[in-house]
């Protein structure tokens, strides 16, 4: 035990005194949090641009009904409307208004005879132009379509029977920043193990430090426990920093409870086990570092740490299901923001089982005796 | 007679088809400095690592401090009582000298005073310096200090001065000699002839995994070093002609005229012949050295870098 503690103290000190170690394990996640937090700390009240070309002209200018329709769109408060002259050609307008930053403009065209046809009870067709690459285009289409439906009801003299009010399922009011804090914390605990510890362990091996220690009464178990313990303490420290920043700077609703502490420790074990496994399998430090990156980065982005898994294509969702970080990040969210103890318990069990497997494999491939 | 500190009988170590250590046997007695002398790749480090319980032998019997290196309990005992300086010692870069020594000390149930070791190795003003900022010589000194943290009975020094400049090598030799004076048994590997000659009580010359011979430096030189020679620098053809009349074995290499030295009469005969003919030349008596022993046994010399030439 005293040997484990000596190893723990030494490797932790060695890590904390490394500028790159500190940068990647603390500063980098903090920068991520600040960036994501600043971008997403609002309540999602974004507006979308829409250019409108009103071609329904009468002798006295635009028809009353077409103006009412535009007014209805405006009152949704979701759209930022821009007028396009009725003489403009849509194709050339789109070309001219396109920019790298804003992308292609979305254009709604109100046809000539809009008011006249509706008055006669004849159908009219609105034309909506958008780029296929425009991810917000369907959202805007939905807004236009509900405005049109509202008009249809009025014209038909019908009263809508189904209505709904928008409520959040969580007791607390959650914002996107609340989603990111556990995600970023989890993602960087993963990189600390899979990239950071892999680098350190291969470096220790290459320089003969592990071998020199193995010539003392230190056992392989002492060595592994010392390293894993160091990772666990760093992970708790990282979690505390992220929560403090989240609450202090972004008024995030994240909290820390016993479930959080348990899953953070298990996660640290899991990812340091992965680091040990990589370091044990790959001799060359550079190859190990490359492999660590190749594993860590896809895992980081596919595990629902930065965006929900549901928005990804089906096959990537299947990939996410086998990534350990998925369950770890999920468990962190359950405990840190959702306070869903039963879901947290399930994830704790999954992460715990994976931790046993990976620490076991890591110990198996860590060589304490040469061939 | 008490059991030897190290007993090796018919040790073989194979890596696949390659035989790194090929049936070697030797003993190291308590209190001596025993040197393994040979070029890189001769099997020195492989042997040391087997003795240190870091590698399993393929076959043969190896006992260190009375314990077998293949026995689990034996290995535990050995590891407590041996000190190790590996080739190119490295410690944790961002820990200080003192922190690193304390780390090594913490690996043992009973350890020496780190503070005393720091003084003994002249590291007092470096205690707070991080390992990465030390010079090569100082790193090596920390390595030797680390090998003594458990008050070992037996110390393995694997190439302790490789890569160090001459002054620091001499200082390191001083340290190693002091260790012997304090009663430590030392197993040293080296490819430096002068190091083996300076330090070792007994030398095993190892070539291609086999021990060519074992003995004290004096024994080896007497047995394999060849004869003493008298060398006349730039004696030239006239001296060669003169000496040829008195000696059978005269040689002339690039103007240096050489005759064998058997006793002082050879010198008297040569000098009087030279005086008679008014020939003057600078003279030296060349005694055979370990280099000559090695050349004779191995058929090659070893470069500064440890390669066979």
């Amino acid at each position: 035990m005293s040997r484990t503690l000596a190893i723990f103290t030494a490797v932790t000190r060695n890590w904390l005194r490394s500028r790159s170690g500190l940068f990647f394990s603390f500063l980098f996640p903090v920068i991520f949090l600040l960036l994501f937090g600043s971008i997403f700390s609002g309540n999602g009240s974004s507006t979308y641009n829409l250019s409108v070309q009103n071609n329904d002209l009468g002798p006295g200018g635009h028809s009353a009904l077409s103006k009412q329709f535009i007014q209805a769109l405006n009152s949704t408060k979701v759209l930022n409307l821009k007028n396009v002259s009725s003489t403009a050609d849509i194709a050339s307008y789109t070309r001219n208004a396109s920019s790298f930053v804003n992308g292609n403009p979305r254009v709604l065209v109100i046809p000539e005879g809009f008011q006249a046809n509706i008055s006669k009870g004849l159908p009219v067709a609105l034309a909506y132009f958008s780029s296929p690459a425009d991810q917000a285009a369907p959202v805007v289409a939905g807004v236009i379509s509900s405005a049109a439906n509202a008009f249809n009801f009025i014209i038909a003299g019908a009263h809508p029977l189904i209505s709904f009010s928008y409520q959040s399922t969580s007791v607390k009011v959650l914002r996107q920043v609340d989603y990111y804090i556990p995600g970023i914390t989890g993602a960087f605990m993963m990189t600390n193990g899979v990239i950071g510890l892999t680098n350190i362990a291969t470096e220790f091996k290459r320089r003969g430090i592990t071998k020199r220690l193995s010539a003392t009464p230190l056992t392989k178990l002492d060595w592994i426990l010392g390293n894993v313990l160091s990772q666990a303490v760093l992970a708790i420290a990282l979690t505390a920093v992220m929560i403090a920043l989240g609450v202090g700077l972004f008024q995030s609703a994240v909290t820390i409870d016993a479930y959080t502490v348990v899953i953070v420790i298990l996660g640290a074990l899991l990812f340091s086990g992965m680091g040990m496994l990589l370091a044990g399998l790959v001799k060359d430090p550079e190859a190990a570092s490359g492999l660590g990156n190749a594993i860590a980065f896809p895992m980081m982005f596919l595990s629902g740490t930065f965006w929900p898994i549901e928005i990804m294509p089906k096959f990537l969702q299947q990939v996410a299901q086998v990534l350990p970080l998925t369950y770890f990040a999920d468990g962190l969210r359950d405990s840190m923001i959702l306070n869903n103890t039963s879901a947290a318990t399930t994830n704790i069990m999954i992460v715990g089982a994976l931790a046993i497997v990976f620490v076991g494999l890591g110990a198996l491939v860590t060589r304490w005796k040469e061939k | 007679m008490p059991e030897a500190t190290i007993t090796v009988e018919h040790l073989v170590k194979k890596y696949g088809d390659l035989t790194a250590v090929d049936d070697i046997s030797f003993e190291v007695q308590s209190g001596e400095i025993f040197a393994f002398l040979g070029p890189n790749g001769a099997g020195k480090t492989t042997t040391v690592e087997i003795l240190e319980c870091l590698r399993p032998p393929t076959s043969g019997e190896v006992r260190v401090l009375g314990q077998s290196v293949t026995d689990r309990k034996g290995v535990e005992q050995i590891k407590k009582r041996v000190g190790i300086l590996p080739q190119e010692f490295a410690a944790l870069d961002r820990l200080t000298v003192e922190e690193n020594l304390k780390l090594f000390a913490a690996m043992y149930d009973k350890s020496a005073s780190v503070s005393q070791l720091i003084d003994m190795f002249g590291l007092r003003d470096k205690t707070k310096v991080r390992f990465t900022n030390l010079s090569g010589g100082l790193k090596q000194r920390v390595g030797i200090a680390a090998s003594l943290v458990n008050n070992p009975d037996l110390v393995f020094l694997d190439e302790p001065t490789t890569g160090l400049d001459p002054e620091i090598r001499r200082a390191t030799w001083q340290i190693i000699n002091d260790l012997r004076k304090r009663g430590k048994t030392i197993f040293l590997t080296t490819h430096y002839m002068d190091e083996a000659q300076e330090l070792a009580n007994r030398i095993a010359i190892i070539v291609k995994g086999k021990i060519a011979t074992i003995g004290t430096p004096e024994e080896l030189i007497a047995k394999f070093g060849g004869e003493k020679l008298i060398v006349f620098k730039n004696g030239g053809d006239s001296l060669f002609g003169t000496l040829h009349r008195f000696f059978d074995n005269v040689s002339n290499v690039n103007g240096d005229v050489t005759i064998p030295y058997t006793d002082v009469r050879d010198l008297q005969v040569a000098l009087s012949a030279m005086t008679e003919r008014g020939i003057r030349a600078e003279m030296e008596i060349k005694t055979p050295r370990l280099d000559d022993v090695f050349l004779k046994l191995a058929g090659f010399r070893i470069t500064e870098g440890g390669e066979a030439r």
Side-chain angles (χ1 to χ4, degrees):
Chain A
M1 193 61 204
S2 66
R3 291 185 190 109
T4 305
L5 279 180
I7 293 295
F8 160 75
T9 316
V11 295
T12 309
R13 260 193 197 142
N14 199 50
W15 179 301
L16 290 178
R17 285 181 191 166
S18 141
R19 283 201 196 120
S20 67
L22 265 189
F23 178 79
F24 284 112
S25 47
F26 283 102
L27 204 55
F28 202 40
V30 165
I31 291 171
F32 250 74
L33 177 64
L34 294 181
L35 280 175
F36 273 76
S38 311
I39 297 168
F40 297 110
S41 63
N43 290 308
S45 62
S46 358
T47 57
Y48 302 95
N49 293 323
L50 177 67
S51 302
V52 181
Q53 187 180 48
N54 189 349
N55 290 336
D56 195 23
L57 287 163
H62 291 117
S63 69
L65 199 58
S66 66
K67 282 198 222 165
Q68 269 179 34
F69 186 74
I70 291 170
Q71 182 58 43
L73 288 176
N74 205 19
S75 66
T76 59
K77 297 208 170 71
V78 182
L79 300 178
N80 178 20
L81 298 179
K82 197 176 168 196
N83 188 37
V84 181
S85 153
S86 45
T87 54
D89 169 50
I90 294 301
S92 59
Y93 170 79
T94 307
R95 203 161 39 243
N96 293 336
S98 294
S99 75
F100 184 74
V101 178
N102 295 319
N104 292 325
R106 307 172 196 109
V107 188
L108 177 71
V109 179
I110 301 176
E112 196 182 343
F114 179 77
Q115 179 172 312
N117 283 334
I118 289 175
S119 322
K120 288 181 205 151
L122 295 173
V124 292
L126 300 170
Y128 175 56
F129 299 88
S130 74
S131 154
D134 183 351
Q135 292 185 353
V139 178
V140 176
V143 174
I144 298 168
S145 152
S146 45
N149 278 338
F151 262 62
N152 286 335
F153 279 122
I154 295 163
I155 293 156
H159 298 281
L161 294 177
I162 301 171
S163 72
F164 73 99
S165 67
Y166 189 63
Q167 282 170 348
S168 170
T169 48
S170 172
V171 184
K172 287 189 278 184
V173 177
L174 295 179
R175 294 171 308 153
Q176 273 176 302
V177 67
D178 298 320
Y179 186 87
Y180 290 119
I181 291 172
I184 295 172
T185 309
F188 282 94
M189 278 175 56
M190 184 273 293
T191 58
N192 282 348
V194 176
I195 300 176
L197 187 61
T198 306
N199 282 349
I200 290 183
T202 43
E203 188 63 16
F204 279 0
K205 195 165 66 166
R206 186 184 66 80
R207 296 179 57 217
I209 294 172
T210 327
K211 197 202 251 183
R212 175 65 186 85
L213 286 168
S214 74
T216 72
L218 180 74
T219 63
K220 182 157 98 170
L221 186 68
D222 293 333
W223 169 246
I224 288 174
L225 283 181
N227 275 285
V228 165
L229 195 61
S230 164
Q231 288 291 315
V233 168
L234 289 170
I236 290 174
L238 174 64
T239 312
V241 168
M242 298 299 265
I243 290 179
L245 282 178
V247 173
L249 293 178
F250 304 112
Q251 291 79 46
S252 165
V254 288
T255 53
I256 191 162
D257 60 5
Y259 290 90
T260 314
V261 174
V262 170
I263 197 159
V264 163
I265 290 173
L266 291 176
L269 295 186
L270 161 57
F271 296 118
S272 38
M274 286 180 110
M276 294 245 168
L277 179 61
L278 284 179
L281 292 177
V282 187
K283 268 193 188 149
D284 175 32
E286 277 172 22
S289 166
L291 192 59
N293 280 288
I295 291 171
F297 280 99
M299 176 142 69
M300 187 168 184
F301 291 110
L302 295 179
S303 299
T305 50
F306 298 125
W307 51 76
I309 290 170
E310 292 77 26
I311 68 162
M312 300 197 298
K314 200 84 198 149
F315 77 98
L316 285 180
Q317 291 193 26
Q318 282 163 355
V319 173
Q321 303 240 313
V322 297
L323 297 176
L325 182 57
T326 302
Y327 301 97
F328 180 54
D330 222 24
L332 278 178
R333 271 192 300 274
D334 291 335
S335 61
M336 285 166 79
I337 53 171
L338 302 171
N339 296 359
N340 183 345
T341 51
S342 71
T345 308
T346 310
N347 283 311
I348 282 174
M349 296 206 306
I350 295 171
V351 172
L354 288 171
I356 293 170
V357 169
F358 278 102
V359 172
L361 288 175
L364 205 65
V365 299
T366 300
R367 247 201 355 235
W368 211 242
K369 195 163 189 161
E370 305 295 312
K371 279 182 182 158
Chain B
M1 192 175 147
E3 191 178 4
T5 302
I6 299 174
T7 313
V8 173
E9 282 167 12
H10 302 294
L11 171 63
V12 175
K13 179 67 188 181
K14 287 185 178 174
Y15 299 106
D17 290 339
L18 179 85
T19 305
V21 175
D22 192 358
D23 191 15
I24 63 172
S25 302
F26 61 91
E27 281 189 351
V28 177
Q29 303 301 331
S30 173
E32 71 172 337
I33 297 184
F34 184 88
F36 243 36
L37 174 66
N40 298 343
K44 300 193 299 286
T45 297
T46 302
T47 307
V48 172
E49 289 185 351
I50 291 170
L51 297 174
E52 292 168 346
C53 310
L54 295 178
R55 278 179 201 279
T58 305
S59 65
E61 183 61 21
V62 179
R63 295 179 73 77
V64 175
L65 297 164
Q67 307 283 339
S68 165
V69 299
T70 47
D71 173 64
R72 201 188 165 85
K73 283 259 182 308
V75 169
E76 272 178 33
Q77 290 303 315
I78 294 169
K79 284 185 173 179
K80 282 183 196 167
R81 293 175 57 200
V82 300
I84 284 164
L85 175 77
Q87 237 182 81
E88 293 174 48
F89 169 79
L92 274 71
D93 267 341
R94 287 174 294 275
L95 295 194
T96 65
V97 168
E98 190 177 22
E99 287 165 345
N100 268 306
L101 289 175
K102 282 190 171 159
L103 170 65
F104 283 108
M107 299 299 114
Y108 300 91
D109 297 332
K110 283 184 204 155
S111 63
S113 151
V114 165
S115 182
Q116 272 178 22
L117 284 172
I118 283 170
D119 286 330
M120 192 191 302
F121 288 92
L123 292 165
R124 182 52 67 192
D125 58 334
K126 304 286 178 193
T127 47
K128 303 286 178 230
V129 178
R130 290 185 186 184
F131 186 77
T132 187
N133 296 330
L134 296 176
S135 67
L138 282 173
K139 282 181 178 166
Q140 201 68 348
R141 239 194 279 174
V142 173
I144 299 177
S147 75
L148 300 177
V149 288
N150 56 329
N151 277 323
D153 302 312
L154 168 64
V155 184
F156 293 98
L157 302 173
D158 195 2
E159 307 254 356
T161 65
T162 296
L164 300 184
D165 59 47
E167 204 178 323
I168 296 168
R169 279 179 68 193
R170 294 220 152 260
T172 309
W173 290 351
Q174 184 66 50
I175 290 171
I176 296 170
N177 263 321
D178 288 347
L179 292 182
R180 170 176 39 198
K181 283 181 200 147
R182 294 201 292 126
K184 310 283 184 201
T185 307
I186 294 168
F187 188 101
L188 169 84
T189 76
T190 186
H191 64 257
Y192 295 120
M193 301 293 157
D194 51 352
E195 184 159 288
Q197 183 141 22
E198 171 78 24
L199 295 175
N201 297 101
R202 287 193 307 134
I203 296 169
I205 289 182
I206 180 164
V207 182
K208 289 180 186 146
K210 286 180 187 293
I211 291 180
T213 187
I214 301 182
T216 65
E218 298 75 24
E219 282 168 4
L220 297 185
I221 289 166
K223 208 164 165 187
F224 304 103
E227 53 206 344
K228 283 189 187 175
L229 299 172
I230 306 170
V231 182
F232 297 95
K233 294 269 182 194
N234 299 314
D237 291 338
S238 61
L239 180 61
F240 177 78
T242 305
L243 294 179
H244 203 62
R245 294 188 207 159
F246 300 94
F247 299 96
D248 296 332
N249 252 331
V250 188
S251 67
N252 182 358
V253 181
N254 297 328
D256 289 348
V257 179
T258 304
I259 54 171
Y261 175 96
T262 41
D263 65 43
V264 76
R265 264 176 304 171
D266 294 334
L267 196 56
Q268 287 168 341
V269 170
L271 290 177
S272 57
M274 283 165 72
T275 318
E276 231 168 71
R277 286 164 181 79
I279 301 171
R280 301 172 73 108
E282 200 182 310
M283 183 214 79
E284 68 172 3
I285 294 177
K286 224 176 139 181
T287 41
R289 296 182 308 156
L290 215 44
D291 300 63
D292 306 299
V293 175
F294 191 86
L295 180 63
K296 169 115 181 189
L297 288 169
F300 58 85
R301 291 192 189 274
I302 302 178
T303 65
E304 188 62 20
E307 303 300 329
R309 181 170 63 188

